[in-house]
């Protein structure tokens, strides 16, 4: 051994450059290992023994986190709240499969008839309105488009257009999907839409330069888009309109485009069409956009566009432009050290990152984290790098569920989400990143069943532990936050001890999406949950529901049941 060391010493004396090169590589490798450990903080899995009866709920023996042998990486999910439509429509039938099995091999006419019969059964999600001409130089539907020459289906095209808020979805050449807000072409003969869908031969997907067009029955009209603008709805004229919408312009040839462009140029986030007058402004207490009217009251045709509505003097059609409302965009650290530590606690995949985004906009202060995620820091969550006990942030994100960790906080906002959605969101994050998707092989392989077996019990014990050990816990359901953001955000801000400025909260409503929103383009087209999984998860839901009601809180939202 001594001879070997002597030889190495003589070798490096003769060639010092190689010695320093190896030394530099060694130090670099050590630095990378250190940085990696800093970026992937994991919630600890407490292992202290406790009485099984301590947090036991009906129908579920206590499944304390000590039974979950693996650590769980911190999740920072985007909200489905950011997703505008969530599960836009659901089909529990096996109809597509049955149509595929009973398919005959007739000509274009029989395929068109089959397609129409399928369309009649799909009225709850979209209405087929006909075959239309298309042109590669001037498209009939001029919104988003995408192609899939292997797996295109009517469902997939409709769902992706609906998620982005478009009014129409059109399929062409068996594999092309186009979205838009108005149809800018003439009808064609039904026989000209004669090509089978590449991923669903029982349905028709247009033809050569021909579109099979569907009118989408949107679940949330408030998410409708018009090009770059977002449709907010039909609203009654505010009393002090000159104050509520201070800038206006007479437009005899009114169209949505012209009004949106005018208000964008004037740098206002709202464009309101009032017949031949275009008005611009901000959401405010005078015009909060909370009481929508029936759209038929605004259904007055535009002078310049036959297919568009332009509202009237009494009922305004309102669009949100691309102009950013800066009244809620300023953020900073707390001016003095916080006296209390407030947790923003959730199970991974329950929308914690989205809630942080909303809280930062509503309060003007950064949120912190029990972990450190470099990608979140780079997206603007500057409190991510602070130690969670620094006292410089308004609240602390955590997925912890052990007694010791929970008792470290003086109060908490407990965010709860439907476990079916939360599990899928966390699985996508785990295998695809914050806004990516797990690969098809992961869903179909052993990873998904193992993930559900490990994480589903934790969904229940996480809530039970926070209800049991938390000192002052405000329960917020993710679904309620999406449905009534203004009211739920008021509750959250009140717990944080920050005065709630109403105009600032209205500003947050217009900036609610944030940077972590998954596209629906790769959304699963099947239910990944087996009957056994659903049976187990239903038991966990009942347990959490009972635990909430025992504390005189409302139970879980109704859409958790049945499954």
């Amino acid at each position: 051994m001594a001879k070997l060391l002597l030889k190495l010493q003589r070798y490096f004396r003769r060639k010092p450059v190689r010695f320093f090169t190896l030394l530099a590589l060694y130090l670099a490798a050590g630095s990378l290992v250190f940085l990696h450990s800093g970026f992937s903080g994991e919630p600890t899995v407490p292992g202290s023994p406790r009485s099984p009866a301590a947090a036991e709920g009906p129908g579920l023996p206590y499944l304390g986190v000590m039974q979950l042998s693996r650590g769980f990486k911190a999740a920072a999910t985007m909200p489905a709240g950011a997703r505008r439509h969530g599960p836009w429509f659901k089909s529990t039938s096996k109809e597509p499969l049955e149509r595929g099995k009973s398919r005959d091999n007739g000509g274009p006419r029989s395929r068109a008839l089959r397609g129409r019969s399928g369309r009649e059964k799909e009225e709850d999600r979209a209405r087929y309105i006909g075959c239309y001409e298309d042109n590669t130089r001037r498209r009939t539907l001029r919104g988003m488009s995408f192609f899939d020459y292997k797996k295109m289906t009517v469902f997939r095209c409709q769902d992706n257009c609906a998620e982005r808020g478009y009014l129409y979805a059109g399929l062409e050449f068996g594999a092309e999907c186009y979205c838009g807000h108005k149809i800018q072409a003439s009808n064609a003969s039904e026989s000209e839409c004669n090509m089978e869908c590449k991923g669903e031969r029982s349905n028709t997907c247009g033809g050569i330069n021909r579109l099979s067009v569907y009118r989408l029955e949107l679940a949330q009209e408030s998410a409708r888009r018009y090009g770059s603008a977002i449709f907010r709805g039909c609203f009654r004229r505010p009393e002090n309109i000159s104050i509520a919408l201070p800038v206006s312009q007479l437009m005899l040839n009114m169209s949505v485009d012209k009004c949106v462009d005018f208000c964008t140029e004037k740098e206002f986030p709202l464009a309101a069409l009032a017949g031949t007058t275009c008005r611009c402004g901000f959401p405010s207490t005078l015009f909060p956009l909370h009481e929508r009217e029936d759209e038929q009251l605004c259904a007055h045709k535009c002078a310049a566009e036959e297919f568009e509505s332009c509202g009237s003097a009494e009922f305004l059609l309102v669009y949100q432009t691309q102009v950013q409302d800066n009244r809620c965009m300023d953020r900073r650290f707390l001016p003095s050290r916080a006296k209390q530590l407030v947790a923003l606690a959730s199970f991974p995949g329950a929308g914690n990152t989205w809630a942080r985004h909303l809280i930062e906009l509503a309060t003007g202060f950064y949120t912190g984290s029990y972990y450190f995620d470099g990608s979140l820091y780079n997206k603007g969550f500057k409190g991510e790098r602070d130690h969670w006990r620094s006292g410089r942030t308004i609240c602390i994100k955590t997925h912890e569920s052990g007694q010791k960790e929970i008792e470290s906080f003086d109060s908490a906002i407990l965010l709860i989400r439907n476990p079916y959605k939360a599990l899928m969101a966390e699985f996508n994050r785990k295998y695809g990143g914050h806004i990516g998707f797990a690969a098809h092989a992961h869903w179909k392989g052993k990873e998904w069943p193992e993930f559900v077996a490990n994480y589903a019990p934790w969904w229940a014990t996480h809530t039970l532990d926070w209800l049991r050990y938390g000192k002052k816990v405000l329960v917020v359901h993710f679904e309620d936050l999406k449905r009534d953001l203004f009211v739920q955000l008021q509750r959250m801000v009140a717990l944080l001890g920050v005065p709630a400025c109403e105009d600032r909260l209205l500003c947050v409503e217009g900036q609610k999406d944030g940077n972590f929103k998954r596209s629906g383009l790769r959304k699963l087209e099947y239910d990944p949950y087996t009957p056994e999984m659903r049976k187990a998860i239903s038991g966990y839901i009942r347990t959490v529901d009972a635990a909430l009601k025992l504390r005189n809180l409302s139970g879980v939202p109704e859409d958790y049941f049945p499954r």
Side-chain angles (χ1 to χ4, degrees):
M1 187 67 182
K3 290 182 179 180
L4 178 62
L5 291 174
L6 186 61
K7 286 182 180 180
L8 284 172
Q9 186 180 14
R10 289 174 179 173
Y11 175 79
F12 283 122
R13 278 181 180 175
R14 291 196 301 271
K15 299 182 178 180
V17 174
R18 293 188 181 181
F19 172 74
F20 286 114
T21 302
L22 287 171
L23 181 62
L25 288 172
Y26 174 78
L27 293 173
S31 300
L32 287 173
V33 171
F34 176 76
L35 285 172
H36 181 268
S37 64
F39 270 73
S40 57
E42 298 189 0
T44 57
V45 181
S48 57
R50 286 183 286 174
S51 168
E56 187 176 345
L60 175 70
Y62 178 72
L63 296 172
V65 213
M66 59 276 194
Q67 293 186 14
L68 306 181
S69 58
R70 301 197 298 191
F72 299 98
K73 288 195 176 182
T77 56
M78 159 79 187
R83 170 183 173 87
R84 287 190 170 85
H85 292 279
W88 170 59
F89 53 82
K90 298 177 181 177
S91 175
T92 55
S93 69
K94 298 181 180 178
E95 180 189 299
L97 178 63
E98 290 166 0
R99 284 206 304 271
K101 288 180 179 178
S102 60
R103 178 174 59 88
D104 64 285
N105 294 313
R109 176 66 179 168
S110 64
R111 283 197 299 272
L113 289 173
R114 285 196 308 273
R116 268 199 295 276
S117 66
R119 292 164 195 145
E120 290 168 1
K121 296 175 183 178
E122 293 167 356
E123 286 290 320
D124 61 329
R125 68 190 192 203
R127 178 168 55 87
Y128 178 72
I129 59 174
C131 183
Y132 284 79
E133 297 175 356
D134 195 23
N135 189 309
T136 55
R137 294 184 179 179
R138 190 171 176 82
R139 289 292 180 188
T140 301
L141 297 173
R142 300 175 188 172
M144 185 272 301
S145 63
F146 73 97
F147 312 139
D148 190 333
Y149 291 95
K150 290 185 178 181
K151 297 180 180 179
M152 180 60 74
T153 65
V154 173
F155 177 102
R156 187 179 180 196
C157 180
Q158 291 173 349
D159 195 32
N160 280 281
C161 292
E163 179 176 337
R164 287 158 178 79
Y166 290 102
L167 288 176
Y168 298 98
L171 296 107
E172 182 173 330
F173 203 62
E176 301 173 4
C177 176
Y178 297 90
C179 311
H181 282 283
K182 59 182 177 179
I183 301 169
Q184 305 183 69
S186 304
N187 280 96
S189 169
E190 283 297 318
S191 61
E192 294 178 38
C193 284
N194 54 15
M195 298 187 70
E196 297 176 339
C197 301
K198 296 294 184 182
E200 187 182 26
R201 293 181 179 272
S202 58
N203 263 333
T204 302
C205 286
I208 300 173
N209 289 331
R210 295 294 181 267
L211 278 171
S212 297
V213 179
Y214 293 82
R215 162 88 184 198
L216 303 175
E217 306 299 332
L218 296 183
Q220 292 184 20
E221 288 287 337
S222 61
R224 187 189 303 167
R225 282 186 175 273
Y226 187 91
S228 61
I230 301 173
F231 178 73
R232 297 296 298 270
C234 176
F235 298 90
R236 187 180 293 275
R237 171 193 173 106
E239 291 183 6
N240 299 314
I241 193 167
S242 59
I243 301 175
L245 301 168
V247 175
S248 64
Q249 176 74 40
L250 181 66
M251 295 182 178
L252 298 179
N253 290 323
M254 173 71 83
S255 70
V256 176
D257 264 341
K258 290 177 181 177
C259 188
V260 168
D261 288 345
F262 172 74
C263 293
T264 300
E265 183 181 343
K266 296 295 182 181
E267 297 189 349
F268 284 97
L270 293 185
L273 290 80
T276 56
T277 304
C278 174
R279 296 186 176 276
C280 314
F282 293 91
S284 66
T285 52
L286 295 174
F287 196 44
L289 304 183
H290 287 164
E291 296 181 7
R292 296 177 59 183
E293 303 287 348
D294 188 333
E295 279 189 49
Q296 291 302 313
L297 297 172
C298 291
H300 299 273
K301 288 185 178 180
C302 296
E305 291 289 346
E306 179 185 354
F307 296 103
E308 294 179 1
S309 296
C310 279
S312 67
E314 290 300 317
F315 294 95
L316 315 182
L317 269 181
V318 180
Y319 288 83
Q320 183 175 318
T321 71
Q322 279 194 314
V323 175
Q324 183 170 272
D325 188 345
N326 289 317
R327 295 175 300 168
C328 58
M329 299 308 293
D330 60 301
R331 287 170 290 174
R332 59 196 174 100
F333 289 103
L334 292 172
S336 58
R337 185 181 176 89
K339 295 180 180 178
Q340 292 191 329
L341 287 176
V342 183
L344 178 61
S346 74
F347 175 77
N352 198 302
T353 300
W354 181 52
R356 288 178 69 185
H357 165 75
L358 297 175
I359 289 170
E360 290 194 0
L361 296 188
T363 64
F365 295 115
Y366 289 120
T367 59
S369 178
Y370 197 82
Y371 322 103
F372 172 62
D373 189 324
S375 64
L376 290 179
Y377 178 81
N378 293 334
K379 286 289 184 179
F381 290 94
K382 299 304 180 185
E384 193 76 13
R385 291 185 70 170
D386 268 37
H387 188 274
W388 65 279
R389 284 187 176 274
S390 71
R392 298 206 306 160
T393 53
I394 194 71
C395 64
I396 310 297
K397 160 193 169 175
T398 180
H399 300 308
E400 301 298 314
S401 55
Q403 179 180 355
K404 181 180 177 182
E405 288 78 9
I406 291 172
E407 290 178 346
S408 300
F409 294 95
D410 301 296
S411 58
I413 297 169
L414 177 59
L415 190 62
I416 303 174
R417 187 182 185 183
N418 185 324
Y420 293 101
K421 304 291 179 56
L423 288 167
M424 292 177 70
E426 174 59 8
F427 189 73
N428 275 322
R429 188 208 64 82
K430 187 178 178 71
Y431 289 99
H434 284 294
I435 55 174
F437 292 85
H440 186 74
H442 291 135
W443 292 101
K444 289 295 188 181
K446 64 179 182 180
E447 292 91 345
W448 172 243
E450 288 180 356
F451 177 87
V452 173
N454 284 334
Y455 276 63
W458 185 23
W459 177 85
T461 57
H462 183 277
T463 298
L464 297 176
D465 281 354
W466 276 95
L467 292 175
R468 178 179 174 81
Y469 300 114
K471 297 172 186 174
K472 183 181 177 183
V473 178
L474 172 68
V475 175
V476 176
H477 293 285
F478 175 86
E479 293 76 17
D480 292 340
L481 188 59
K482 282 182 64 180
R483 191 179 302 116
D484 196 356
L485 186 142
F486 188 86
V487 171
Q488 296 301 324
L489 201 50
Q490 275 185 319
R491 296 175 63 223
M492 295 162 72
V493 170
L495 180 79
L496 296 170
V498 178
C501 173
E502 196 165 335
D503 277 354
R504 189 171 185 116
L505 294 180
L506 290 169
C507 169
V508 177
E509 286 188 311
Q511 314 289 331
K512 62 184 179 183
D513 278 351
N515 292 319
F516 287 89
K517 179 182 187 300
R518 285 190 176 88
S519 161
L521 195 60
R522 289 185 55 193
K523 192 174 64 176
L524 283 181
E525 295 179 8
Y526 62 90
D527 185 351
Y529 292 99
T530 64
E532 293 77 15
M533 291 177 184
R534 287 196 291 270
K535 182 179 179 181
I537 294 171
S538 292
Y540 303 145
I541 292 173
R542 286 192 295 270
T543 299
V544 170
D545 185 60
L548 291 169
K549 289 176 178 176
L550 280 173
R551 288 159 179 80
N552 296 320
L553 301 169
S554 61
V556 299
E558 290 183 2
D559 57 5
Y560 288 24
F561 300 105
R563 183 70 186 188

